Amino acid sequence: MAFSMLQLFLLGAFGPRLVDQSVLSPTLLGLTTTIGFGAAALLSPVGGRVVDRAGPRRSLVALLLVSGAALALIAAAPGPGLLLAAVALGGLPQALANPATNKAILAAVPPARRGAVTGMKQSGVQLGAFAAGLPLAALAGGIGWRGAVWTAAAAAAAAALWAHRALPADPPVRSAPPPAPPVPPAPPVPRGAIAWLAVFSFFLGSGIASVNTYVALFGARELGMGPAAAAALVAVLGVAGIAGRVGWSRAARPGRAERLPGALAAGAVPAACLLAAALYVPPLVWVAAVAVGVFAVSANAVSMVLVMQRAAPGRAGQDSGLVAAGFFAGFAVGPPLFGPFAEAGRYGQGWLLVAAEFAAAGALATAWAVRERRRGPRPEAPA
């Protein structure tokens, strides 16, 4: 999970360096997120079906190899063209990550422990943010940002080898679907709880993506922070997200999980407002980074717990891919909306836009939770 999004966290953490060296403009920096997550959103529904067919080990090894290739292309890119193409390639690992890991959990983990284990694996995404914002940013100070990205590419290749050796073998790939499948084919668009979670994830992802992409540049340009300190904001966001995802996912038991997305998105609204307030009280940017991690970033992990609780039998990969597609579509949309504010130096207005996106996610999730409560409890889905 950490490697699936590492390339985008690195671009966000190294944003001040890339802009200062004229590799990217602030608007193009936001476009990297749009391209990466746009590709992930398009590929996620297909990725879910691929995982259901091929198995989690094959999918995870492919994820890590493609992630390493995307990182290597970013490190070698002479200009924005190849760099943006590499980011698009990185959409494939993102599309495979949630379906493959969710499928592995459903196959190997008892229902009582799935929430806690899901929180731990979802925290891997934020582990990537921490790695980009602290150790790799520190390495970039010594060997340059390209050297740090080459190091990340080598680590991804090593992780692929480890995954191939350590994970249990997948069943043979079916050459054709069984003649009489026990369930009807999955719908091409999400329905029911999966549809609600996909739309919620769209608004949530829009806000999170803007924070991930621009918080370091905000710290460097508006708050007078050096490149290392600005990158550390991404690391703080990652650490807070790890703690929040593990804790809130552990609490997301059936009957309670439905209420958590709305509450967490609502808690993210004042967190975004704190970013705007940091223009006047700069230390608040650290509090805001922690709060965004604890509330907004954690809400995505809870939504994945709900997917596993509600997924139709045998369709955990497909349903995970559909919800992930909504989240990634939000990541593709959020930074371009924020980019003009960053280009004009109007970060306060940009952070208020992020607050509005979190508020929309909270309203949707609360409406869905009320609807579900009226319908009564539902049994947890099998693997």
Side-chain angles (χ1 to χ4, degrees):
M1 291 297 291
F3 281 109
S4 70
M5 286 177 54
L6 183 58
Q7 70 273 12
L8 293 173
F9 286 126
L10 282 170
L11 291 173
F14 296 166
R17 290 181 169 91
L18 295 170
V19 172
D20 290 344
Q21 295 176 21
S22 299
V23 178
L24 293 172
S25 69
T27 298
L28 280 178
L29 180 63
L31 188 60
T32 61
T33 302
T34 299
I35 291 174
F37 283 99
L42 292 173
L43 293 171
S44 284
V46 177
R49 291 195 293 272
V50 168
V51 171
D52 283 336
R53 181 179 175 85
R57 185 176 79 164
R58 295 186 189 96
S59 301
L60 288 170
V61 170
L63 179 163
L64 290 163
L65 289 175
V66 175
S67 179
L71 288 164
L73 285 174
I74 290 172
L82 185 57
L83 190 149
L84 294 176
V87 169
L89 177 63
L92 179 58
Q94 296 171 61
L96 294 174
N98 278 305
T101 52
N102 286 355
K103 192 84 172 177
I105 289 172
L106 284 171
V109 179
R113 295 190 59 240
R114 285 176 186 167
V117 173
T118 301
M120 291 176 66
K121 73 99 175 173
Q122 289 295 122
S123 72
V125 174
Q126 301 315 119
L127 179 63
F130 172 79
L134 196 61
L136 287 172
L139 186 63
I143 64 174
W145 70 268
R146 292 184 188 274
V149 178
W150 276 117
T151 302
L161 178 62
W162 169 83
H164 178 72
R165 292 182 174 179
L167 296 177
D170 294 318
V173 179
R174 295 195 305 266
S175 59
V183 292
V189 295
R191 296 178 181 174
I194 302 303
W196 282 90
L197 290 170
V199 179
F200 161 77
S201 296
F202 171 81
F203 285 104
L204 185 74
S206 297
I208 294 173
S210 296
V211 178
N212 284 345
T213 304
Y214 285 107
V215 70
L217 191 62
F218 171 64
R221 288 287 181 88
E222 302 296 324
L223 307 183
M225 302 170 70
L233 287 170
V234 180
V236 168
L237 179 67
V239 171
I242 291 171
R245 287 185 168 199
V246 171
W248 289 116
S249 295
R250 189 183 297 272
R253 295 187 292 272
R256 178 188 295 177
E258 293 79 3
R259 299 192 298 271
L260 285 178
L264 292 174
V269 174
C273 293
L274 284 174
L275 285 169
L279 286 166
Y280 308 98
V281 186
L284 287 178
V285 71
W286 299 100
V287 180
V290 171
V292 170
V294 169
F295 292 105
V297 171
S298 302
N300 173 247
V302 173
S303 71
M304 282 298 159
V305 174
L306 281 163
V307 169
M308 286 189 286
Q309 291 174 358
R310 300 302 185 94
R315 293 186 188 147
Q318 297 177 55
D319 287 348
S320 297
L322 291 169
V323 173
F327 189 63
F328 295 151
F331 261 71
V333 168
L337 295 177
F338 195 102
F341 294 107
E343 198 81 47
R346 293 183 289 153
Y347 281 91
Q349 296 175 38
W351 298 132
L352 293 179
L353 172 64
V354 170
E357 290 163 347
F358 289 151
L364 274 168
T366 301
W368 174 72
V370 170
R371 174 178 174 270
E372 291 296 296
R373 187 165 60 248
R374 290 172 178 169
R375 297 180 65 182
R378 291 166 173 260
E380 186 167 357

